[in-house]
């Protein structure tokens, strides 16, 4: 997430003639943070509207300027918490302490960011604004999605009010029974694909050719449901297929997401709607993931399906939990990504930019596995996560997603 930097500078300090964005101090913090600030200078007109805002107190003598900006009618009015960045030069720290004392006297929470660039970057990465309030205005107006079956029993924090989804997001949600899907699978009809022949999986048993045929039967049945109900996408209670047809929805979802639809597993409606927003901004549905492991700022995400269009290469494997069916091990390009999740009530969102550092492939996890570096994000996942599944979107999409919400 891009941090927005506002500046306070006294006219008495003529030595600060360069703009803040060019200061070595600011550049060193940006280097430690791994991203650049959106520098707004002394224009505070947008303050309080953006997710991660910092006031850079460049010099002493700025306390009155601060009060003039935020106490225009004699009453302090400023969103909490206030984050004051200080360089340790030009009486910056002294002025920050006076401002913070003033805030505390008025019951306003604040923090001074002072120290090494690494420490400041750590504090910025741990920003409480990683979960932000949102107010969507029907960004998915006219879209139509199906819930096939119902959400999986373990998604206990992911209930969605269909009427609220229509009101807030502009999206229509409909229910389709699992029996209708099973009847469609039994027809053994599926469109032709250019999928390669089966490979020997690295983990689990060899995949019989018949299993690939059933996986494509699932795909064909889902395509007919999409056509019948004029859908833009769907979410599938996929684990029911394990007992019903001894297969999974992994391959069908990988194909559908690559064809321009939105398709999630486990009947996860918030993930489906998050992916719909991801597709709107990036052209890809994104990778629906479980967080499997945390090591510092490195997050290991995995799942058994991934849009084939997001990969630079892929191969067949078995479904991790069951050990059968047809799943996908994909390799995603290293580089910038955005981790995203909209809450089930559509009033909060997690949006965090990071970088895919590497792919891996080990037997004790779902088959597509990526390690994403996202400084500070571990705190969110361990303290205030929005459910289990999140969506990894290609590229730096934070500002575009924020504009939708």
């Amino acid at each position: 997430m891009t941090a927005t930097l506002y500046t306070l500078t006294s006219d008495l300090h003529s030595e600060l003639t360069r703009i803040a964005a060019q200061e070595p101090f600011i550049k060193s913090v940006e280097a430690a943070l791994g991203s650049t600030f959106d520098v707004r200078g002394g224009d505070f007109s947008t303050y309080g509207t953006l997710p991660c805002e910092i006031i850079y107190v460049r010099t002493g003598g700025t306390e009155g300027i601060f009060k003039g900006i935020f106490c225009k009618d004699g009453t302090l009015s400023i969103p909490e918490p206030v984050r004051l960045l200080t360089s340790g030069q030009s009486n910056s720290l002294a002025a920050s302490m006076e401002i913070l004392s003033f805030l505390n006297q008025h019951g306003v929470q604040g923090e001074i960011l002072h120290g090494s660039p690494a420490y400041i970057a750590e504090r910025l990465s741990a920003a409480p604004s990683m979960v932000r309030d949102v107010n969507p205005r029907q960004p998915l107006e006219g879209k139509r999605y199906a819930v096939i079956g119902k959400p999986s029993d373990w998604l206990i924090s992911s209930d969605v009010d269909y009427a609220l989804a229509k009101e807030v997001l502009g999206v229509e949600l409909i229910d389709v029974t699992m029996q209708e899907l099973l009847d469609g699978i039994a027809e053994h009809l599926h469109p032709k694909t250019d999928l390669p022949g089966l490979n020997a999986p690295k983990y689990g048993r060899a995949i019989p050719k018949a299993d690939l045929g059933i996986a494509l039967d699932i795909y064909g049945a889902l395509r007919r449901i999409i056509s019948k109900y004029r859908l833009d996408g769907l979410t599938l209670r996929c684990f029911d297929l394990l007992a019903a047809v001894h297969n999974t929805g992994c391959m069908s979802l990988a194909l559908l997401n690559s064809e321009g639809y939105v398709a999630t597993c486990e009947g996860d409606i918030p993930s489906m709607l998050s992916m719909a927003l991801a597709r709107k901004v990036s052209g890809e549905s994104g990778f629906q993931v479980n967080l499997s492991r945390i090591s510092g700022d490195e997050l290991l995400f995995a799942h058994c399906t991934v849009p084939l269009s997001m990969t630079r290469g892929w191969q067949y494997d078995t479904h991790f939990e069951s050990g059968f069916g047809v799943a996908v091990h994909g390799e995603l390009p290293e580089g910038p990504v955005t981790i995203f999740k909209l809450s089930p009530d559509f009033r909060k969102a997690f949006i965090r930019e990071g970088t895919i550092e590497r792919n891996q492939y080990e037997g004790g996890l779902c088959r597509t596995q990526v390690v994403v570096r996202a400084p500070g994000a571990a705190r969110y996942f361990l303290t205030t996560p929005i459910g289990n599944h999140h969506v990894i979107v290609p590229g730096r999409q934070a500002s575009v997603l924020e504009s939708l919400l």
Side-chain angles (χ1 to χ4, degrees), residues 297-308:
D297 289 330
E298 290 192 343
L299 311 171
L300 172 57
F301 295 102
H303 228 176
C304 282
T305 183
V306 62
L308 301 183

Side-chain angles (χ1 to χ4, degrees), residues 1-4 33 37 50-54 80-83 111 113 119-132 297 349-352 374-381 383-384 402:
M1 180 180 294
T2 300
T4 305
L33 192 60
F37 291 117
L50 299 168
C52 186
E53 297 175 313
I54 304 151
E80 299 181 72
V82 179
R83 316 185 82 201
E111 175 186 10
L113 302 172
Y119 171 77
I120 292 170
E122 180 182 352
R123 293 301 306 145
L124 290 176
S125 298
S129 57
M130 283 191 285
V131 176
R132 56 165 298 187
D297 289 330
F350 172 74
I351 308 172
R352 187 71 170 179
R379 180 172 177 267
Y380 154 78
F381 285 106
T383 58
T384 57
E402 288 161 5

Side-chain angles (χ1 to χ4, degrees), residues 51-203:
C52 186
E53 297 175 313
I54 304 151
I55 299 175
Y56 175 26
V57 184
R58 300 178 77 198
T59 72
T62 51
E63 299 91 331
I65 299 173
F66 175 89
K67 186 175 180 181
I69 293 170
F70 295 107
C71 298
K72 290 181 179 178
D73 61 355
T75 303
L76 177 63
S77 177
I78 187 170
E80 299 181 72
V82 179
R83 316 185 82 201
L84 305 170
L85 176 64
T86 159
S87 66
Q89 300 292 323
S90 303
N91 290 322
S92 170
L93 179 57
S96 297
M97 292 172 64
E98 184 71 14
I99 292 171
L100 183 57
S101 177
F102 176 74
L103 293 172
N104 291 340
Q105 288 173 3
H106 288 79
V108 176
Q109 294 183 0
E111 175 186 10
I112 294 174
L113 302 172
H114 177 73
S116 69
Y119 171 77
I120 292 170
E122 180 182 352
R123 293 301 306 145
L124 290 176
S125 298
S129 57
M130 283 191 285
V131 176
R132 56 165 298 187
D133 294 332
V134 296
N135 184 27
R137 292 178 174 83
Q138 299 196 324
L140 299 176
E141 184 176 7
K143 299 295 184 180
R144 184 175 167 89
Y145 300 93
V147 181
I148 300 179
K150 60 181 180 179
S152 293
D153 297 340
W154 47 84
L155 297 179
I156 61 175
S157 68
S158 301
D159 291 342
V160 166
D161 183 317
Y162 287 20
L164 184 62
K166 179 69 172 178
E167 176 188 344
V168 175
L169 299 181
V171 64
E172 182 178 1
L173 300 175
I174 67 168
D175 290 316
V176 176
T177 67
M178 182 61 67
Q179 189 59 53
E180 181 169 349
L181 174 61
L182 295 176
D183 291 344
I185 294 170
E187 295 176 9
H188 300 295
L189 299 173
H190 53 257
K192 290 184 178 180
T193 68
D194 58 357
L195 291 175
L198 289 166
N199 55 263
K202 184 173 182 180
Y203 300 103

Side-chain angles (χ1 to χ4, degrees), residues 104-400:
N104 291 340
Q105 288 173 3
H106 288 79
V108 176
Q109 294 183 0
E111 175 186 10
I112 294 174
L113 302 172
H114 177 73
S116 69
Y119 171 77
I120 292 170
E122 180 182 352
R123 293 301 306 145
L124 290 176
S125 298
S129 57
M130 283 191 285
V131 176
R132 56 165 298 187
D133 294 332
V134 296
N135 184 27
R137 292 178 174 83
Q138 299 196 324
L140 299 176
E141 184 176 7
K143 299 295 184 180
R144 184 175 167 89
Y145 300 93
V147 181
I148 300 179
K150 60 181 180 179
S152 293
D153 297 340
W154 47 84
L155 297 179
I156 61 175
S157 68
S158 301
D159 291 342
V160 166
D161 183 317
Y162 287 20
L164 184 62
K166 179 69 172 178
E167 176 188 344
V168 175
L169 299 181
V171 64
E172 182 178 1
L173 300 175
I174 67 168
D175 290 316
V176 176
T177 67
M178 182 61 67
Q179 189 59 53
E180 181 169 349
L181 174 61
L182 295 176
D183 291 344
I185 294 170
E187 295 176 9
H188 300 295
L189 299 173
H190 53 257
K192 290 184 178 180
T193 68
D194 58 357
L195 291 175
L198 289 166
N199 55 263
K202 184 173 182 180
Y203 300 103
R205 64 181 179 84
I207 301 172
K209 187 175 181 181
D211 280 13
L212 181 57
I214 296 172
L216 294 177
D217 289 342
I218 297 169
Y219 163 66
L222 290 174
R223 281 290 301 269
R224 292 192 294 280
I225 287 173
I226 287 172
S227 178
K228 176 181 177 179
Y229 293 103
R230 305 182 308 281
L231 301 175
D232 296 286
L234 54 86
T235 186
L236 170 64
R237 186 181 167 95
C238 51
F239 274 76
D240 284 14
L241 297 175
L242 297 176
V245 296
H246 207 67
N247 214 304
T248 74
C250 303
M251 179 53 67
S252 59
L253 301 183
L255 289 166
L256 290 173
N257 279 313
S258 295
E259 294 171 350
Y261 301 104
V262 170
T264 65
C265 52
E266 301 177 40
D268 191 331
I269 303 172
S271 289
M272 175 179 67
L273 297 174
S274 298
M275 288 174 71
L277 292 166
R279 177 165 284 282
K280 183 167 184 174
V281 303
S282 72
E284 286 280 5
S285 297
F287 177 25
Q288 178 190 5
V289 293
N290 295 318
L291 178 59
S292 299
R293 194 177 300 152
I294 297 174
S295 178
D297 289 330
E298 290 192 343
L299 311 171
L300 172 57
F301 295 102
H303 228 176
C304 282
T305 183
V306 62
L308 301 183
S309 54
M310 282 184 65
T311 69
R312 64 184 176 205
W314 63 273
Q315 58 185 285
Y316 301 103
D317 206 328
T318 54
H319 179 244
F320 165 59
E321 287 91 343
S322 65
F324 56 80
V326 182
V328 179
H329 164 64
E331 295 270 344
L332 276 65
E334 292 82 3
V337 291
T338 304
I339 311 166
F340 174 52
K341 183 66 178 292
L342 182 66
S343 67
D345 64 359
F346 321 124
R347 295 306 180 193
K348 294 187 180 295
F350 172 74
I351 308 172
R352 187 71 170 179
E353 292 181 349
T355 304
I356 293 181
E357 296 283 314
R358 61 188 180 277
N359 293 262
Q360 67 172 43
Y361 196 12
E362 63 179 68
L365 296 168
C366 293
R367 302 315 189 192
T368 297
Q369 305 164 18
V370 294
V371 175
V372 177
R373 181 174 177 80
R379 180 172 177 267
Y380 154 78
F381 285 106
L382 296 175
T383 58
T384 57
I386 301 175
N388 167 22
H389 297 127
H390 286 66
V391 178
I392 294 178
V393 189
R396 301 201 179 280
Q397 309 290 350
S399 60
V400 189

